[in-house]
């Protein structure tokens, strides 16, 4: 953990001296994690990528303002999530007008595939439907695999609040997926005869 | 351990953050309670499946596109800040009287002050609305506010002058004939900042005749 922070800080010192190679390295360290998190938040791959671009552009523009007492990753994630929250607020405002857009954007989740939906597909959709504050905590903790402490720093809320939000999200997902999970449980217990795979 | 307490521990169990004693108590409860055992299975499945979801990755040209955006931004930073004509006129409303006075003083004298004031206000309004084809006619000659080129030097000291053919030629700027130029008053007629060439009367959307 400390070493990751150290690597980031070394890169940032170089970035502050206008070393673009260092900036590229920093981008490579975080871009895929960030786009995955923002995709889960926004449900739109293009939008997620645009906002990750905006995030790094801001990091670069404000590189001289960076405070080395904080984790660089916390700073980057905070910027990215603020951008995502603004986007979600904006979408909510115009929800009435953009039903068709949203349907189109939802294509990313492949929920229009015919046939029975896999547990993964149902989970994808259920995560997308979570209320924003639970979803944010859940995505950072369970999708991005951040520690609770890191999530608390990024969201700027107490550790206990993060834990209860993650619990709440897991509980909502559990209820949402109950039929699928039950199928799976029965299967794992052997009460249903599983189709033999090669 | 009771069911309610056991259920509240399930999420923490997923994170492996239970104390040794809590872990033992929960295990003992799950051993004998099928309902909680089922919930525990659900929680661990959610956790496991979430970890196996398909991850989205950035596109291959992500860094390249970012670099190009940064280059654009840096180029913008390097360019000196130039106030637009709109900003300058909007920022100096008090100068309109002075502007009018300069116009009237040069061409018509104080009696025309008010009328030329209206003309200059119209000019300002025309420029304000975005360099469209607004224009006006002064003394039977037509002028326009359509700006062909903007190359500000120092708008803080800029003033407006009406330039007739003779005085323009005299000053060595033949191309200013029958135009209106905003020039740097520190060196009038030698360094025109703004050149507004005339346009045919039919293209004008506003006219003042006096
Ligand atoms: Zn129980």
């Amino acid at each position: 953990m400390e070493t990751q922070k150290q690597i980031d800080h070394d890169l940032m010192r170089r970035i502050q001296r206008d070393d673009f190679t260092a900036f590229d390295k920093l981008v490579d360290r975080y871009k895929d994690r960030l786009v995955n998190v923002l995709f889960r938040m926004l449900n739109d791959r293009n939008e997620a990528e645009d906002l990750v671009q905006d995030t790094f552009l801001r990091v670069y523009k404000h590189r001289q303002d960076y405070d080395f007492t904080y984790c660089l990753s916390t700073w980057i994630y905070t910027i990215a999530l603020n951008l995502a929250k603004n986007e979600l607020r904006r979408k909510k405002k115009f929800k009435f007008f953009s039903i068709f857009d949203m349907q189109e954007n939802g294509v990313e989740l492949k929920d229009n595939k015919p046939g029975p939906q896999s547990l993964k597909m149902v989970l994808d959709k259920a995560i997308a439907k979570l209320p924003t504050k639970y979803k944010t905590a859940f995505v950072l903790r369970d999708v991005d695999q951040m520690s609770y402490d890191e999530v608390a720093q990024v969201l700027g809320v107490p550790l206990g609040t993060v834990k209860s939000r993650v619990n709440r999200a897991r509980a909502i997902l559990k209820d949402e997926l109950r039929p699928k999970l039950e199928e799976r449980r029965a299967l794992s217990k052997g009460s249903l005869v599983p189709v033999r795979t090669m | 351990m009771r069911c309610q307490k056991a259920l509240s521990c399930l999420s923490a169990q997923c994170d492996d953050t239970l104390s040794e004693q809590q872990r033992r108590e929960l295990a003992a409860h799950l051993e004998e309670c099928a309902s909680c055992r089922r919930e525990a299975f659900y929680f661990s499945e959610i956790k496991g499946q979430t970890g196996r979801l398909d991850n989205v990755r950035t596109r291959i040209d992500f860094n390249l596109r970012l670099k190009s955006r940064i280059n654009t931004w840096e180029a913008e930073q390097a360019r000196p800040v130039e106030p637009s004509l709109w900003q300058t006129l909007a920022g100096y409303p008090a100068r309109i009287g002075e502007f009018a006075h300069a116009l009237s003083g040069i061409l018509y004298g104080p009696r025309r002050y008010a009328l030329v004031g209206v003309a200059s206000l119209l000019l300002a309004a025309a420029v304000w609305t975005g360099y469209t084809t607004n224009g006006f006619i002064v003394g039977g000659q037509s002028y326009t506010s359509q700006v062909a080129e903007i190359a500000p030097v120092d708008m803080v000291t800029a003033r407006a002058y009406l330039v007739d053919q003779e005085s323009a030629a005299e000053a060595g700027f033949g191309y200013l004939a029958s135009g209106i130029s905003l020039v740097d008053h520190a060196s009038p007629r030698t360094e025109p900042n703004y050149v507004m060439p005339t346009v045919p009367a039919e293209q004008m959307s506003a006219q003042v005749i006096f």
Side-chain angles (χ1 to χ4, degrees):
Chain A
M1 192 57 234
E2 195 54 43
T3 51
Q4 293 302 317
K5 187 176 171 181
Q6 211 51 56
I7 293 168
D8 280 347
H9 279 181
D10 288 346
L11 286 173
M12 197 56 182
R13 276 189 205 94
R14 285 169 58 197
I15 294 166
Q16 287 188 336
R17 294 192 299 267
D18 296 337
D19 178 345
F20 205 85
T21 318
F23 182 68
D24 247 355
K25 277 195 183 129
L26 183 74
V27 171
D28 286 339
R29 276 169 75 77
Y30 289 103
K31 62 179 181 181
D32 288 325
R33 279 177 65 187
L34 283 174
V35 83
N36 198 36
V37 166
L38 292 198
F39 166 69
R40 288 286 162 200
M41 296 297 298
L42 300 163
N43 249 347
D44 184 310
R45 193 212 158 112
N46 292 332
E47 247 170 36
E49 181 148 340
D50 284 349
L51 291 191
V52 177
Q53 287 254 332
D54 292 349
T55 302
F56 284 117
L57 194 59
R58 273 177 204 220
V59 167
Y60 191 80
K61 281 182 186 177
H62 300 288
R63 62 195 186 280
Q64 303 299 351
D65 307 328
Y66 175 66
D67 181 346
F68 283 90
T69 53
Y70 297 100
C71 263
L72 183 56
S73 59
T74 305
W75 189 48
I76 296 175
Y77 270 84
T78 307
I79 296 173
L81 286 168
N82 281 337
L83 291 173
K85 274 182 217 158
N86 288 343
E87 185 58 28
L88 284 169
R89 247 196 301 268
R90 198 186 62 80
K91 265 188 178 172
K92 208 172 181 179
K93 217 168 163 183
F94 296 104
K95 206 172 189 173
F96 178 73
F97 302 102
S98 59
I99 292 162
F100 294 106
D101 291 352
M102 289 171 77
Q103 282 174 346
E104 214 165 275
N105 294 341
V107 168
E108 286 282 356
L109 292 179
K110 304 179 183 92
D111 58 353
N112 50 353
K113 235 185 199 173
Q117 296 191 318
S118 68
L119 179 61
K120 214 189 242 179
M121 283 180 204
V122 182
L123 181 58
D124 267 335
K125 279 208 279 186
I127 293 173
K129 269 173 33 192
L130 284 172
T132 306
K133 75 174 172 186
Y134 300 136
K135 179 157 58 176
T136 314
F138 174 80
V139 167
L140 292 177
R141 170 68 197 143
D142 283 358
V143 176
D144 199 53
Q145 321 259 311
M146 261 188 194
S147 72
Y148 279 112
D149 283 318
E150 284 175 285
V151 180
Q153 276 173 32
V154 168
L155 298 183
V157 297
L159 189 63
T161 308
V162 176
K163 284 188 177 171
S164 84
R165 285 183 189 175
V166 173
N167 290 355
R168 184 81 194 104
R170 286 174 183 165
I172 294 172
L173 294 175
K174 176 181 65 95
D175 291 340
E176 198 82 8
L177 268 70
R178 191 173 287 272
K180 275 279 162 200
L181 290 169
E182 191 46 42
E183 244 173 58
R184 218 176 157 78
R185 194 179 71 94
L187 207 70
S188 74
K189 281 174 69 185
S191 61
L192 288 178
V193 182
V195 179
R196 208 184 174 81
T197 51
M198 295 294 150
Chain B
M1 191 181 261
R2 290 215 175 139
C3 289
Q4 202 183 352
K5 174 82 177 133
L7 291 174
S8 74
C9 288
L10 294 179
S11 191
Q13 191 199 27
C14 291
D15 296 318
D16 205 14
T17 54
L18 290 175
S19 69
E20 191 49 47
Q21 195 194 341
Q22 283 173 319
R23 207 198 325 264
R24 263 186 280 117
E25 282 178 23
L26 179 64
H29 180 83
L30 293 182
E31 194 67 37
E32 61 195 30
C33 178
S35 158
C36 285
R37 205 158 53 233
R38 174 183 307 203
E39 295 299 312
F41 173 81
Y42 292 166
F43 265 104
S44 76
E45 274 296 298
I46 295 279
K47 174 86 178 171
Q49 288 294 326
T50 304
R52 287 192 288 277
L53 286 174
D54 297 327
N55 286 341
V56 169
R57 295 174 65 89
T58 48
R59 293 183 208 288
I60 198 152
D61 61 345
F62 183 91
N63 294 36
L64 216 63
R65 280 185 293 128
L66 182 60
K67 173 83 175 133
S68 133
R69 285 184 69 185
I70 285 172
N71 286 346
T72 308
W73 175 73
E74 283 188 326
E76 276 167 16
Q77 296 304 298
R79 205 177 299 151
V81 183
E82 296 171 353
S84 69
L85 192 57
W86 187 95
Q87 284 172 322
T88 307
L89 289 177
Y92 293 91
R95 299 220 168 195
I96 287 176
E98 210 182 325
F99 176 98
H101 189 73
L103 289 177
S104 61
I106 288 167
L107 282 187
Y108 301 104
R111 275 183 308 135
R112 302 282 184 163
Y113 186 91
L115 216 46
V116 178
V118 170
S120 57
L121 275 170
L122 268 176
L123 171 64
V127 174
W128 190 302
T129 52
Y131 316 126
T132 54
T133 54
N134 293 302
F136 53 93
I137 290 176
V138 179
Q141 273 201 300
S142 60
Y143 300 94
T144 181
S145 63
Q146 191 175 45
V147 180
E149 191 188 355
I150 304 175
V153 175
D154 180 8
M155 279 307 292
V156 177
T157 57
R159 270 187 182 178
Y161 292 88
L162 268 179
V163 183
D164 60 25
Q165 189 122 28
E166 282 88 1
S167 45
E170 207 178 294
F173 287 100
Y175 66 92
L176 283 178
S178 305
I180 293 174
S181 65
L182 296 178
V183 302
D184 184 348
H185 79 106
S187 48
R189 295 188 186 182
T190 56
E191 287 176 32
N193 296 345
Y194 297 96
V195 179
M196 305 179 193
T198 56
V199 294
E202 61 266 24
Q203 279 185 20
M204 296 180 191
S205 55
Q207 293 187 359
V208 178
I209 301 168
F210 53 93

